[in-house]
Amino acid sequence: MSQNREPLTRDRIIETALHIIDGQGLGRLTMRRLGDALEVEAMAIYHHLPRGKEELLDGLVAHVAVLPADTAARAGAAAWRDRLREWAAAYRARLLEHAGVLPLVVTRRNPAALTGTTESLREVLRLAGFLDGAAASGAHTLIGYVIGHTALEVRGREARRAAGPEQEVDWDGRFNAGVDVVLAGLVTTLT
Amino acid sequence: MSQNREPLTRDRIIETALHIIDGQGLGRLTMRRLGDALEVEAMAIYHHLPRGKEELLDGLVAHVAVLPADTAARAGAAAWRDRLREWAAAYRARLLEHAGVLPLVVTRRNPAALTGTTESLREVLRLAGFLDGAAASGAHTLIGYVIGHTALEVRGREARRAAGPEQEVDWDGRFNAGVDVVLAGLVTTLT
DNA sequence: ACCTGAACACCGTTCAAGT
DNA sequence: ACCTGAACACCGTTCAAGT
């Protein structure tokens, strides 16, 4: 009787890998373990990802780090600050959901993955009235803050375990406060 | 005749490991290769770092990520913005010098390593007139930006290779512009 | 105390072979 | 076209043994 398992797919491989990372951590993602989870020999994966684990990790970064800001909204809208606030919150949430891949996002791995996101952010700023240079710079500043602060948050939440709840940090509030600082700073560069 | 090599030391081990990372990348740091570089069997390392590679990586993070802002300067000095600017530039330079350990700094590894740095930054803000909560939040915002933006820079510099010099980015200028945005934003929370 | 040598359980990946 | 099995070169780490 035939094994009625779904066919192996690049997408299914990457999603299963993400599931392993979320559940057990990046360090336990192994070609062999990934094969087990897919009910397949590890070597079968190479047929769909010829570059092997390298390509797998690239795919994981692309899957997690790509979240463009919607630039479809009406141009010149006065509410660009609210939209950036929402985008920042959504991006942080995405990174926290898959905190195990953060080290991969930070590594030089798959540098093209963040290009689209940065570009759409730049477009939002341009529609808000920023000059080209200021929009590019501002997008970089905001996305840099979001990634860096979220990385600190992941580390900080873990530290609580070892050091006890000495200083309870309100991470939501602290993140939002930082976003407001960056946005307030950006406003001073407008005109 | 006796081998006249220096005695094995925790510090010497970590410095040699850093040298390997800087020259060949994090992926090629191996206990066996590290042993070779130290002219010793890999197993000898465990005598100085009982927790093995885990302890080695923790030590590397501590060695690179600890750069406190000097809080010794006169309290209430008006030039706190210049001091934060200098600190940010110095911290970025340190991270770029050892870009290979950035993924380790970002991982939950050794969460205590950044505590001292964050604290001294908070002290600078407190002396500048920020209330306790605002100083803590502001320190987090600035350090988050510096780490995140520097990570983007490392990725971006690498991307140039694959995509050609399509868009030359002035990383120094962009980093400083972001620092100024953050500082300008912080000023609006002062009063 | 400090280092070595052999061994163990695990990696990623290749390659010829099956269907 | 898609997957398997055996094999290769490499990991981190243990443990008993040397000095």
Side-chain angles (χ1 to χ4, degrees):
Chain A
M1 44 191 71
S2 68
Q3 303 274 34
N4 67 337
R5 57 185 183 197
E6 302 173 28
L8 214 49
T9 306
R10 208 191 124 93
D11 282 351
R12 206 158 71 83
I13 292 172
I14 290 176
E15 274 155 27
T16 305
L18 197 56
H19 187 256
I20 291 177
I21 294 176
D22 292 343
Q24 316 184 236
L26 180 60
R28 289 184 59 81
L29 175 63
T30 295
M31 297 303 274
R32 285 163 150 95
R33 240 189 295 261
L34 181 55
D36 280 355
L38 292 163
E39 295 184 79
V40 110
E41 292 299 314
M43 300 75 203
I45 300 171
Y46 288 82
H47 205 269
H48 301 265
L49 286 77
R51 274 175 42 245
K53 194 168 191 185
E54 207 74 10
E55 191 171 353
L56 175 64
L57 299 182
D58 285 357
L60 285 165
V61 171
H63 194 277
V64 171
V66 176
L67 194 166
D70 76 303
T71 65
R74 57 274 164 230
W80 61 274
R81 277 163 73 165
D82 287 334
R83 287 178 58 203
L84 289 185
R85 245 188 290 260
E86 281 165 26
W87 175 87
Y91 204 77
R92 163 174 173 257
R94 169 81 71 98
L95 293 178
L96 288 180
E97 231 178 321
H98 306 291
V101 302
L102 244 179
L104 299 179
V105 174
V106 165
T107 319
R108 66 207 77 199
R109 203 174 293 288
N110 198 3
L114 282 176
T115 308
T117 302
T118 309
E119 218 144 288
S120 73
L121 216 49
R122 187 162 45 193
E123 186 62 17
V124 172
L125 288 170
R126 212 152 21 198
L127 292 177
F130 286 85
L131 299 180
D132 283 15
S137 176
H140 240 137
T141 303
L142 181 58
I143 208 174
Y145 164 75
V146 171
I147 289 176
H149 193 278
T150 304
L152 288 180
E153 176 178 354
V154 172
R155 302 176 100 260
R157 286 185 186 275
E158 212 72 9
R160 167 202 64 175
R161 183 192 53 176
E166 27 167 274
Q167 41 184 2
E168 286 290 337
V169 177
D170 172 16
W171 287 107
D172 286 8
R174 191 152 286 186
F175 176 80
N176 290 327
V179 171
D180 285 340
V181 163
V182 172
L183 294 182
L186 284 177
V187 169
T188 69
T189 72
L190 223 171
T191 57
Chain B
M1 42 191 70
S2 67
Q3 302 274 35
N4 67 337
R5 58 186 181 194
E6 304 172 27
L8 214 46
T9 306
R10 207 191 124 94
D11 281 352
R12 206 158 70 83
I13 292 172
I14 289 176
E15 272 155 29
T16 305
L18 197 56
H19 187 257
I20 291 177
I21 293 177
D22 292 344
Q24 315 183 237
L26 180 60
R28 289 184 60 81
L29 175 63
T30 294
M31 297 303 274
R32 285 162 150 94
R33 239 189 297 261
L34 181 54
D36 279 357
L38 292 162
E39 296 183 80
V40 111
E41 293 299 314
M43 299 74 200
I45 299 170
Y46 289 82
H47 205 269
H48 302 264
L49 286 78
R51 274 176 40 247
K53 196 170 190 184
E54 206 73 9
E55 189 170 355
L56 175 64
L57 299 182
D58 285 356
L60 286 165
V61 170
H63 195 276
V64 171
V66 177
L67 196 167
D70 77 302
T71 65
R74 55 279 164 227
W80 60 276
R81 277 162 72 164
D82 287 335
R83 287 177 59 204
L84 289 185
R85 245 188 291 260
E86 281 166 26
W87 175 86
Y91 204 78
R92 163 173 173 257
R94 168 80 72 96
L95 293 179
L96 287 179
E97 229 178 323
H98 306 292
V101 303
L102 242 180
L104 299 180
V105 175
V106 165
T107 318
R108 68 206 74 199
R109 203 175 292 292
N110 198 4
L114 283 176
T115 307
T117 302
T118 308
E119 217 144 288
S120 73
L121 216 49
R122 187 162 45 193
E123 186 62 18
V124 172
L125 289 170
R126 213 155 17 202
L127 292 176
F130 286 84
L131 299 180
D132 282 16
S137 176
H140 240 135
T141 303
L142 181 58
I143 209 174
Y145 164 75
V146 171
I147 289 177
H149 194 277
T150 304
L152 288 179
E153 176 177 354
V154 172
R155 301 176 101 256
R157 286 185 185 275
E158 211 72 8
R160 169 201 62 176
R161 180 192 54 177
E166 28 167 274
Q167 41 183 3
E168 286 290 339
V169 178
D170 172 16
W171 288 106
D172 286 9
R174 190 152 287 187
F175 175 81
N176 290 327
V179 171
D180 284 340
V181 163
V182 172
L183 294 182
L186 284 176
V187 169
T188 69
T189 71
L190 224 173
T191 54

